[in-house]
Amino acid sequence: RREGGEDEGSVRARAAVVLGTAASNNPEFQARALAQEPDLVRLLLGRVRVEPVAEAKEAAVFALSSVLRNSIPARNDFYRDDGPAAVASLLGDPSSSARLNKKLLALSADLLDLEAGFEIKSFSDPGFARRIKKVFEAGDDDAKEKALLVARQLASSVPGSERGLREAGLGAALEVLLAGTGGTKPADGLAELAESVLELIRSDRGGAAVETLREEL
């Protein structure tokens, strides 16, 4: 513990929050931070991977999200260090808190949006679809919404991922949600999002694309 009774985990959490807040939507700060500490993304990823204190791990994900959002060099570093695999492995993990899962989903949604048209390998893996479904079923309405936003972006931007989401059981889970349990229907906004995702994952754009390629050949 440090002077004043503040433990090291709290110090790391506070430092990450300060960094994330300063970097949020501030490309100039991001560029200066990367110039001053070229290993910034690797260091943040290290904290995300091994940080034992939940509060500090959540803060590290927040800081990482802020640094990546408007910086192509930072995202290049993130991909070189296999960042998507780290995010995918933590999502829905028994050790991950509900707050951490929400932050991981928000980061995943940002990356899928920023890299639209490019496949993020770890996110197109069937295991990632299973983790999305796991967090969707276990989470509150906010977590469900974030999980569905990731699922929608994945199904919209990566052909064939709708099949992975379907095989993970997300379609069946959405049908249960929309049918209501115990007479409780989802809120209108969540229901509309669930319907749009269900429509996407019932399609088979990946299979259609392969068939089109076969016809052209």
Side-chain angles (χ1 to χ4, degrees):
R1 299 179 72 87
R2 299 172 68 92
E3 285 186 28
E6 187 174 29
D7 62 54
E8 292 183 359
S10 295
V11 172
R12 291 194 298 271
R14 188 155 53 85
V17 169
V18 170
L19 173 61
T21 302
S24 183
N25 298 313
N26 191 337
E28 291 184 7
F29 176 87
Q30 293 168 356
R32 289 198 304 271
L34 287 169
Q36 183 175 342
E37 180 46 82
D39 286 337
L40 179 59
V41 172
R42 183 182 63 80
L43 293 171
L44 286 171
L45 261 175
R47 293 264 45 97
V48 169
R49 286 181 170 121
V50 304
E51 174 59 59
V53 179
E55 178 190 12
K57 188 184 285 282
E58 293 160 12
V61 174
F62 164 66
L64 183 62
S65 299
S66 297
V67 169
L68 296 179
R69 190 166 294 121
N70 293 306
S71 175
I72 292 175
R75 293 202 299 278
N76 287 339
D77 289 345
F78 178 76
Y79 297 128
R80 272 194 295 269
D81 205 25
D82 210 10
V87 171
S89 66
L90 283 172
L91 183 64
D93 187 83
S95 67
S96 297
S97 67
R99 281 172 52 86
L100 179 60
N101 281 326
K102 290 178 185 181
K103 291 184 183 298
L104 292 167
L105 286 168
L107 173 55
S108 301
D110 274 352
L111 291 170
L112 285 165
D113 182 51
L114 290 164
E115 311 297 354
F118 296 91
E119 181 180 1
I120 301 176
K121 186 176 180 181
S122 295
F123 290 177
S124 58
D125 185 274
F128 187 60
R130 290 192 293 272
R131 289 177 179 272
I132 292 173
K133 187 249 188 180
K134 181 178 181 180
V135 174
F136 171 82
E137 289 191 315
D140 58 16
D141 280 1
D142 185 37
K144 283 179 167 48
E145 180 179 355
K146 286 179 168 60
L148 291 182
L149 288 172
V150 173
R152 184 172 68 181
Q153 287 175 300
L154 194 61
S156 299
S157 62
V158 183
S161 60
E162 64 275 15
R163 179 177 298 177
L165 290 164
R166 190 167 59 245
E167 291 175 353
L170 184 59
L174 290 176
E175 290 172 354
V176 171
L177 175 76
L178 292 168
T181 54
T184 303
K185 295 282 188 177
D188 289 346
L190 182 59
E192 290 175 8
L193 179 58
E195 288 170 352
S196 70
V197 174
L198 186 58
E199 182 177 356
L200 274 172
I201 64 178
R202 279 174 171 167
S203 68
D204 191 10
R205 297 181 308 114
V210 170
E211 188 58 36
T212 299
L213 180 60
R214 284 174 179 163
E215 291 173 359
E216 290 178 352
L217 293 175

